[in-house]
Amino acid sequence: MIPHLDLKQVNKPYSESLQAAASRVLASGWYVLGREVETFERNFADYCGVKHGIGVGNGLDAIHLIFRALDFPAGSEIIIPANTYIATVLPITALSLVPVFAEPDARTYNLAAAQIEPLITEKTRAIVVVHLYGRCCDMTPIQELAAKYNLKIIEDAAQAHGATYQNRKAGNLSDAAAFSFYPTKNLGALGDAGAVLTNDDALAHRVRLLRNYGSEQKYIHQIQGMNSRLDELQAALLGVKLPHLDADNRRRQAIATRYLAEIKHPTLSLPPSDHIHEDVWHLFVVRHPQRDAFMSYLHQKNIGTVIHYPVAPHEQDAYADYRHLELPLTEHLHREVLSLPLNTVLTNVEVDYIIETINNAPN
Ligand SMILES: *Cc1c(COP(=O)(O)O)cnc(C)c1O
């Protein structure tokens, strides 16, 4: 079986260094908010070209903390892509803000300016862009809209570590960016972890306070915060993997290049093949009108696939209030998408087999 993703194999090349880092933390006797976190925050922010990095508990909290720090009045409208993981939506509704779902661009499946502008009202305060599947949104037109209507932009960069847009990294394309280091991400910890990046000094300061009980000085609380800290252990482990991120992403790009050039099947739609080397291919998502049949064919041939995602946020039971919305393209995508195996440990022989098996698939 070629699994969609085997995390044990993904982390194996770094095994010795990860164990050494874990031992270092164990021996230090210091486990929360210390030098490991500071070092990783600095290195990850530098890698992305951003002034401030703040390590937090996970990607969801990173988005939540950005919205807490921005402190929009309740009822403010936030434009988000309808085609995203539920983590983009949860912080908005948790903070009594109103998510306004935008249909994706039909070619890239990403949020785009043309779909955003008609949704802007006088209550709109921000746009959340999600660089879905590892490809950056087309940011220049979105930045122009934000300037025109005086809106903040927040990046959900949980799938885009190292992705670039016009030579700038994901995380450096907005007012503040949220990253997840969930184990399956392009830069993955061995547990939950996340970060907020921003060039805004005041916003960075607020996020720093908020993630640690609203406190800078122990037992002195300036604001009502929460506990969402990146721990020393995960920071040390991430520090081992960060220097390999670019090479890992290049391997992903090489596999994507082959899939795009060599998969030829009449009823299968492939992702766009421009910007191959700016996209970091967190997922390689194809579409098939008989997705479930195609998926079982691949499983019979021992190729593991996953659906990202089977149900759109506005169609989830958790968001029954939004079920009346009609977002036909988003709903259509959720019925047709399928993610092929694409990861750093896939061998060339496995890539050959996947391509050949797909090219021989019945229509
Ligand atoms: C993974 C992911 C998140 C959430 O990250 P967690 O660390 O699991 O909380 C948010 N948004 C997107 C697009 C993601 O893929």
Side-chain angles (χ1 to χ4, degrees):
M1 185 78 194
I2 303 175
H4 181 259
L5 182 64
D6 180 346
L7 288 174
K8 197 169 145 186
Q9 294 302 323
V10 165
N11 286 313
K12 209 173 185 175
Y14 313 117
S15 172
E16 274 181 32
S17 317
L18 291 171
Q19 290 189 28
S23 300
R24 184 175 76 228
V25 174
L26 177 62
S28 76
W30 190 273
Y31 306 121
V32 174
L33 293 189
R35 282 172 56 188
E36 299 286 351
V37 169
E38 276 169 32
T39 304
F40 178 72
E41 286 176 338
R42 184 69 270 136
N43 290 340
F44 189 63
D46 287 348
Y47 172 81
C48 296
V50 181
K51 192 166 171 194
H52 302 283
I54 303 120
V56 302
N58 54 65
L60 172 66
D61 283 357
I63 305 169
H64 189 100
L65 285 159
I66 291 169
F67 276 106
R68 277 287 314 267
L70 288 168
D71 205 20
F72 296 126
S76 297
E77 294 176 2
I78 312 297
I79 297 174
I80 61 169
N83 183 35
T84 185
Y85 182 57
I86 197 167
T88 318
V89 195
L90 288 167
I92 296 170
T93 51
L95 294 169
S96 302
L97 305 169
V98 179
V100 176
F101 296 95
E103 285 269 62
D105 176 82
R107 193 178 68 92
T108 64
Y109 315 154
N110 261 337
L111 187 62
Q115 281 75 27
I116 296 171
E117 192 160 21
L119 301 175
I120 296 173
T121 73
E122 55 196 32
K123 286 189 183 163
T124 310
R125 291 289 170 274
I127 302 164
V128 183
V129 297
V130 181
H131 305 308
L132 199 67
Y133 310 146
R135 178 189 174 103
C136 285
C137 295
D138 186 11
M139 291 303 294
T140 303
I142 297 176
Q143 286 156 349
E144 284 166 8
L145 274 188
K148 181 170 163 194
Y149 294 98
N150 193 24
L151 307 175
K152 296 284 186 195
I153 304 178
I154 294 122
E155 288 169 89
D156 177 344
Q159 302 189 357
H161 318 71
T164 54
Y165 177 79
Q166 295 174 1
N167 296 317
R168 283 168 71 179
K169 286 240 165 62
N172 190 23
L173 301 167
S174 64
D175 294 285
F179 283 87
S180 164
F181 308 112
Y182 185 74
T184 60
K185 309 293 186 184
N186 287 33
L187 179 59
L190 305 188
D192 279 308
V196 172
L197 298 191
T198 180
N199 290 309
D200 180 327
D201 297 345
L203 193 68
H205 184 237
R206 273 183 70 77
V207 171
R208 243 174 230 295
L209 290 180
L210 286 164
R211 73 157 176 195
N212 187 30
Y213 289 110
S215 167
E216 231 166 352
Q217 193 187 337
K218 202 163 191 180
Y219 304 131
I220 305 300
H221 304 276
Q222 302 175 33
I223 50 177
Q224 293 172 25
M226 50 195 262
N227 175 359
S228 183
R229 302 175 293 219
L230 175 62
D231 62 65
E232 290 282 281
L233 181 61
Q234 297 303 336
L237 301 173
L238 287 165
V240 168
K241 292 178 74 179
L242 177 60
H244 302 282
L245 176 60
D246 283 340
D248 283 352
N249 284 339
R250 280 194 295 274
R251 175 66 188 147
R252 289 173 179 276
Q253 287 159 352
I255 297 168
T257 302
R258 286 203 54 199
Y259 282 167
L260 289 167
E262 297 173 47
I263 293 178
K264 297 202 188 306
H265 187 279
T267 45
L268 194 71
S269 315
L270 301 181
S273 59
D274 53 345
H275 304 293
I276 291 178
H277 298 281
E278 285 147 302
D279 190 323
V280 291
W281 302 98
H282 173 59
L283 297 171
F284 192 92
V285 176
V286 299
R287 283 168 62 193
H288 193 290
Q290 278 84 44
R291 187 259 319 272
D292 296 342
F294 182 68
M295 189 176 186
S296 27
Y297 165 81
L298 292 179
H299 281 222
Q300 277 162 27
K301 302 284 181 189
N302 296 316
I303 297 171
T305 57
V306 177
I307 299 170
H308 297 94
Y309 299 94
V311 181
H314 75 281
E315 296 194 303
Q316 298 280 358
D317 287 345
Y319 282 119
D321 290 356
Y322 295 103
R323 191 164 289 152
H324 66 278
L325 293 177
E326 280 180 31
L327 297 156
L329 179 54
T330 299
E331 291 157 21
H332 184 71
L333 285 177
H334 282 75
R335 286 192 295 270
E336 291 201 340
V337 291
L338 190 67
S339 305
L340 302 183
L342 194 164
N343 57 66
T344 51
V345 294
L346 209 58
T347 65
N348 290 337
V349 173
E350 288 170 328
V351 173
D352 290 340
Y353 175 74
I354 292 168
I355 292 167
E356 187 191 303
T357 307
I358 293 175
N359 289 348
N360 291 331
N363 291 342

